Amino acid sequence: QVQLQESGPGLVKPSETLSLTCTVSGASISSYYWSWIRQPPGKGLEWIANIYDNGSTKHNPSVKSRVTISADTSKNQFSLKLSSVTAADTAVYYCARVSVDSSGWYGAFYFDHWGQGTLVTVSS
Amino acid sequence: QSVLTQPPSVSGAPGQRVTISCTGSSSNIGADYHVHWYQQLPGTAPKLLIYGDTNRPSGVPDRFSGSKSGTSASLAITGLQAEDEAYYFCQSYDNSLSATWVFGGGTKLTVL
């Protein structure tokens, strides 16, 4: 059974860096693709970034210059860092596993397992 | 504004059939990228409901079905039950300048 669990500070000051970790059990992070997705309070979902099994990454242009996604295979974890945060970055942050059919086509990517989410508030 | 447009709310009585639309454009659904659907119960994480336009993951009742045509997709729920009351989101890929995976704004289903 695949399980994901986000962890990190729930409160970050404006202009500082938001740091979150996703711990995965039931699947090797080296064998799949992984994502960070966020949901501002009362709003919809926004894809932030992917990290692939070869360590390569892809980011949403809306946050690209501020985001770093990385993986620690020894701990079966992957992480998100978002710099220079503002109140607009206040959201529930989810980590998720990316799934795709045998074609591996990016146009078919979907998110089949999600963490419970963690609320990060940006405030002084 | 979301790239994929969903109605903010739909409602139906127990036992009825409801549909939720997801309207995109030629850079996403119309480009034949797959559409996926998620159910989000209050206070919980989204759960995969439909993938690859029409496929149900193991454990999802066959009351839930997906379809796609042109630049739109739909989620149909038959035999509506009280526990179906939730938010529903569609998701696809967009090949415009942003080139990202995108979600609809979400639809709140109320079971009357």
Side-chain angles (χ1 to χ4, degrees), chain B residues 32-46:
Chain B
D32 208 26
Y33 294 115
H34 290 192
V35 178
H36 321 285
W37 291 89
Y38 303 87
Q39 177 192 60
Q40 186 173 35
L41 297 170
T44 70

Side-chain angles (χ1 to χ4, degrees), chain A residues 37 39 42-47 50 52 58-62 94 101 105-117, chain B residues 31-34 36 38 40 43-48 51-52 89 91-93 97-106:
Chain A
I37 296 162
Q39 184 173 32
K43 296 188 178 180
L45 299 160
E46 180 184 33
W47 169 77
N50 287 349
Y52 299 106
K58 182 170 173 64
H59 311 89
N60 190 323
S62 70
Y94 296 100
D101 61 21
W105 179 45
Y106 61 86
F109 284 6
Y110 57 95
F111 310 102
D112 65 348
H113 289 88
W114 298 63
Q116 66 185 26
Chain B
D32 208 26
Y33 294 115
H34 290 192
H36 321 285
Y38 303 87
Q40 186 173 35
T44 70
K47 168 194 166 186
L48 180 66
Y51 68 95
F89 294 90
Q91 177 247 313
S92 187
Y93 180 81
L97 288 177
S98 59
T100 63
W101 289 271
V102 292
F103 292 88

Side-chain angles (χ1 to χ4, degrees), chain A residues 36 39 46 62 75 87 107 118 123:
Chain A
W36 287 99
Q39 184 173 32
E46 180 184 33
S62 70
K75 296 181 179 179
T118 187
S123 175

Side-chain angles (χ1 to χ4, degrees), chain B:
Chain B
Q1 295 285 34
S2 300
V3 173
L4 305 178
T5 301
Q6 298 180 234
S9 63
V10 298
S11 63
Q16 286 190 332
R17 177 181 186 270
V18 297
T19 61
I20 298 173
S21 61
C22 176
T23 303
S25 68
S26 59
S27 65
N28 42 70
I29 299 175
D32 208 26
Y33 294 115
H34 290 192
V35 178
H36 321 285
W37 291 89
Y38 303 87
Q39 177 192 60
Q40 186 173 35
L41 297 170
T44 70
K47 168 194 166 186
L48 180 66
L49 203 61
I50 297 288
Y51 68 95
D53 301 332
T54 61
N55 303 292
R56 283 186 309 277
S58 172
V60 174
D62 59 6
R63 302 187 295 105
F64 295 91
S65 63
S67 63
K68 186 176 80 175
S69 179
T71 58
S72 295
S74 289
L75 173 71
I77 309 172
T78 59
L80 206 56
Q81 299 180 5
E83 56 261 38
D84 298 333
E85 187 161 295
Y87 278 91
Y88 293 83
F89 294 90
C90 58
Q91 177 247 313
S92 187
Y93 180 81
D94 188 276
N95 69 12
S96 63
L97 288 177
S98 59
T100 63
W101 289 271
V102 292
F103 292 88
T107 299
K108 173 65 187 300
L109 168 63
T110 300
V111 181
L112 302 171

